[in-house]
Amino acid sequence: MKLSKVGAAAAVAVALALTATACGGDSEKSGSDAGASGSAKKDKIVIGIKFDQPGVGLKTPDGKFTGFDVDVATYVAKELGYEPDQIEFKQAVSAERENLISNGDVKLVVASYSINDKRKERVDFAGPYFLAHQDLLVRADDTSITKAEDLNKKKLCSVTGSTSAQNVKTKLAPEADLQQLGGYSECLTGLENKTVDALTTDNSILAGYASQDKNKGKFKLVGLSLSNENYGIGLKKGDKELQTKVNAAIKKMEADGAWEAAVKKNFGPSGYKNEPAPAVTEGS
């Protein structure tokens, strides 16, 4: 009889444990599913950004993320129902942005991602949220370069494979001595050491580098508009519901002053004069 009571107690304990486990499993699943549908607190959102562009998207040595794109991504995520601690930032190098979206590795890409027709064959965009232009960065005391043609006979630096530098050399300054290095930081070092005369890429990226504490007062943007680059937020093709929500978040950020504040915080120290926030046109 005593053994029977022990056995019964054990059976009850096992049943309770199984019930608790099942409840826990159901709760976790429903939380995850609810996160997708918006009926309960969401778990997390994965967003692709650049890790190596100061002022735009940068992962600092202590593991934090800074930059204009980071601020935009954080604001948009908040409007979608995610707090900052629910955001997972994933590195989105230029060549992998479409793959990250198509494969479902990220929900959004906010990574100085210019909207163009070729990319729109594989992904959709929300926005644009920023208008950048290809520009030149020179030393602060250099008055010899005021237009692209002034680069003839001078050393122009950009990263290996850059279309920006090729555009300048092919169309504007055919006699420029094009130096292609592994990264923008190397070009900046060359610019500071006077082994190159100018660096070219999007003005937002140039402004970000010039705004770094270690670079303040050393460089300046020439202020050219050699191309128009409308930055959009990349998302899975055909997800019109998400596109509509992200567009609404961008418009709200622009309307409430958070967009302007983010521009000034990230680019202001370089003296960068940004364009007004562009009209949101994707998905319309």
Side-chain angles (χ1 to χ4, degrees), residues 15-233:
L16 288 172
L18 289 173
T19 302
T21 301
C23 291
D26 288 346
S27 174
E28 183 178 346
K29 182 178 179 183
S30 65
S32 175
D33 291 345
S37 64
S39 59
K41 186 177 180 181
K42 302 172 176 64
D43 293 331
K44 70 174 183 179
I45 184 171
V46 184
I47 302 177
I49 62 168
K50 291 294 180 71
F51 277 18
D52 60 350
Q53 292 181 348
V56 180
L58 181 70
K59 184 177 182 180
T60 60
D62 60 358
K64 295 180 180 179
F65 299 94
T66 66
F68 179 71
D69 279 353
V70 175
D71 291 343
V72 171
T74 302
Y75 189 102
V76 169
K78 175 80 171 178
E79 291 302 303
L80 295 177
Y82 298 91
E83 296 299 323
D85 62 358
Q86 293 175 281
I87 302 172
E88 177 185 331
F89 287 119
K90 187 178 183 70
Q91 186 171 22
V93 298
S94 295
E96 289 298 317
R97 290 176 294 199
E98 287 89 46
N99 291 334
L100 289 171
I101 296 169
S102 299
N103 296 339
D105 297 320
V106 300
K107 191 75 170 178
L108 304 170
V109 166
V110 191
S112 55
Y113 199 8
S114 297
I115 300 169
N116 64 41
D117 291 339
K118 183 177 181 181
R119 290 168 178 164
K120 287 169 72 171
E121 291 175 3
R122 294 189 59 193
V123 303
D124 280 338
F125 287 93
Y129 65 90
F130 193 81
L131 174 58
H133 302 289
Q134 184 185 344
D135 199 356
L136 302 173
L137 189 72
V138 299
R139 288 180 291 277
D141 60 355
D142 188 342
T143 59
S144 68
I145 301 174
T146 59
K147 56 186 183 297
E149 290 77 8
D150 292 334
L151 292 169
N152 284 312
K153 307 294 187 183
K154 292 184 180 290
K155 292 180 179 178
L156 172 65
C157 192
S158 195
V159 297
T160 302
S162 166
T163 56
S164 299
Q166 293 291 347
N167 286 341
V168 171
K169 184 169 176 61
T170 302
K171 301 175 182 177
L172 301 169
E175 295 182 50
D177 181 5
L178 179 57
Q179 310 281 313
Q180 297 189 80
L181 301 180
Y184 293 119
S185 296
E186 296 174 52
C187 286
L188 277 173
T189 299
L191 191 57
E192 185 174 4
N193 296 338
K194 300 186 177 181
T195 57
V196 300
D197 300 301
L199 163 61
T200 188
T201 188
D202 293 358
N203 54 8
S204 57
I205 298 171
L206 297 176
Y209 276 104
S211 294
Q212 284 185 293
D213 288 340
K214 64 181 180 180
N215 294 327
K216 286 179 182 176
K218 294 181 180 179
F219 310 110
K220 65 181 180 182
L221 279 77
V222 175
L224 306 180
S225 298
L226 303 177
S227 70
N228 294 327
E229 306 294 338
N230 280 292
Y231 291 171
I233 296 179

